[in-house]
Amino acid sequence: MMDQTVSFGFFIRLVRKYWLTIVSFTVAGLIVAAGLTFFVITPKYQSSVQILVNRKDTNAATEYAGQQADIQMVTTYKELIAGQVVLKPAKQQLSKRYGIERSLSTLKSEVSVTSTANSQVFSISVTDTNAKASATIANQIARSFKNQVQKIIKVNNVTIVAPAETPNGSVSPKKPLNMLAGLVAGLLLGLVYASLRMLTDRRVRVMDFLTDDLGLTSLGLVNHQNQYSIKKQVSNLTVAHPTHDNQITSQTMKRV
């Protein structure tokens, strides 16, 4: 309980003494976060295309087995999409038809495939610095994937359910989150700086610390005056001039 009281008192003294410093650090953190978010970090946009894996089987007896096989094939398809078998022809078509130049490594880093357990539907998402290009790349990868499945696996069970559309807004950077992070970071840095200043301050400001904590005997207090105060006091002093009688007496003594 004692430690908690001292800690709380230390915090109160810290805020009272260095509140301006803490506020300055907090505002600076907010400004830095805003600058990075709005002027440095490049916005990224994400578009997704949904694909259904479902073979057309008219036999009711084998329909369930076919669905289970398609669900298991989704994992294989996810690996296939991220490989050169799909990305290389997609890269060529993007350059030839749309004038979009992306390297294979860039396409691989931009593409992500998500699916739900026991579902025949999965999504191909593309995150790019250009909103329109993200949708175009996603649709082209989906078409290339569908063509390659027919060539390699010899099945026609891939259907593009929902093509990708140009997104209205960016997915990154997350502006409110970045601003909050900058605000919190600035506040913490301000508190740390103020704490270090206060902990490393060895000056004695209260007489009770010398007598009560260190056990020293107080012999008295000497007031401290700065140089400006001393000069001001000296300038206010008046020099006494000799009176007329004193001048006469002085002249008489000189004659004698």
Side-chain angles (χ1 to χ4, degrees):
M1 185 66 179
M2 181 71 176
D3 294 338
Q4 292 180 359
T5 304
V6 172
S7 300
F8 182 75
F10 173 81
F11 179 76
I12 295 297
R13 294 194 304 271
L14 179 73
V15 174
R16 287 180 177 177
K17 184 176 180 181
Y18 294 103
W19 68 269
L20 185 59
T21 301
I22 296 173
V23 171
S24 300
F25 270 86
T26 304
V27 174
L30 184 62
I31 294 174
V32 170
L36 292 176
T37 301
F38 292 99
F39 301 105
V40 177
I41 301 176
T42 304
K44 292 186 177 181
Y45 304 87
Q46 188 177 78
S47 298
S48 300
V49 53
Q50 286 188 335
I51 295 178
L52 172 66
V53 180
N54 184 23
R55 67 188 66 193
K56 300 174 178 61
D57 195 345
T58 57
N59 189 352
T62 60
E63 183 177 358
Y64 178 77
Q67 290 178 353
Q68 295 301 313
D70 289 336
I71 292 174
Q72 294 178 0
M73 286 297 295
V74 170
T75 303
T76 304
Y77 289 162
K78 290 169 64 176
E79 296 179 359
L80 191 64
I81 292 171
Q84 293 188 6
V85 177
V86 174
L87 295 182
K88 190 173 182 179
K91 174 182 177 298
Q92 295 173 352
Q93 291 297 319
L94 287 170
S95 177
K96 181 180 179 180
R97 298 178 59 182
Y98 305 102
I100 299 176
E101 301 292 340
R102 299 289 188 275
S103 63
L104 288 177
S105 59
T106 301
L107 287 177
K108 189 172 183 179
S109 63
E110 291 183 345
V111 176
S112 62
V113 184
T114 57
S115 62
T116 308
N118 298 324
S119 176
Q120 295 174 260
V121 178
F122 65 93
S123 299
I124 300 176
S125 300
V126 174
T127 305
D128 193 81
T129 55
N130 186 286
K132 186 177 180 180
S134 65
T136 304
I137 294 172
N139 289 327
Q140 184 58 54
I141 290 177
R143 288 192 294 266
S144 299
F145 164 68
K146 183 177 180 179
N147 295 333
Q148 292 301 319
V149 167
Q150 294 177 358
K151 293 179 181 179
I152 298 174
I153 307 180
K154 306 298 181 182
V155 293
N156 186 17
N157 64 343
V158 175
T159 303
I160 300 177
V161 180
E165 297 181 355
T166 303
N168 295 324
S170 60
V171 294
S172 68
K174 299 183 182 300
K175 297 177 182 178
L177 184 60
N178 287 2
M179 302 293 283
L180 180 61
L183 190 70
V184 174
L187 177 61
L188 292 178
L189 287 177
L191 289 174
V192 170
Y193 176 79
S195 300
L196 291 176
R197 287 287 303 273
M198 194 164 182
L199 291 174
T200 55
D201 189 3
R202 300 299 182 184
R203 291 174 294 181
V204 177
R205 300 181 181 276
V206 183
M207 175 61 75
D208 294 339
F209 174 78
L210 297 176
T211 57
D212 298 341
D213 297 346
L214 300 183
L216 300 178
T217 302
S218 176
L219 300 179
L221 296 175
V222 178
N223 293 330
H224 173 73
Q225 292 182 338
N226 55 31
Q227 187 177 3
Y228 173 77
S229 177
I230 295 175
K231 289 182 178 180
K232 187 175 181 181
Q233 292 179 7
V234 171
S235 63
N236 292 332
L237 296 177
T238 57
V239 179
H241 297 284
T243 62
H244 179 70
D245 295 338
N246 291 336
Q247 292 179 353
I248 295 175
T249 305
S250 176
Q251 294 176 356
T252 303
M253 291 179 64
K254 288 181 179 179
R255 292 176 181 177
V256 173

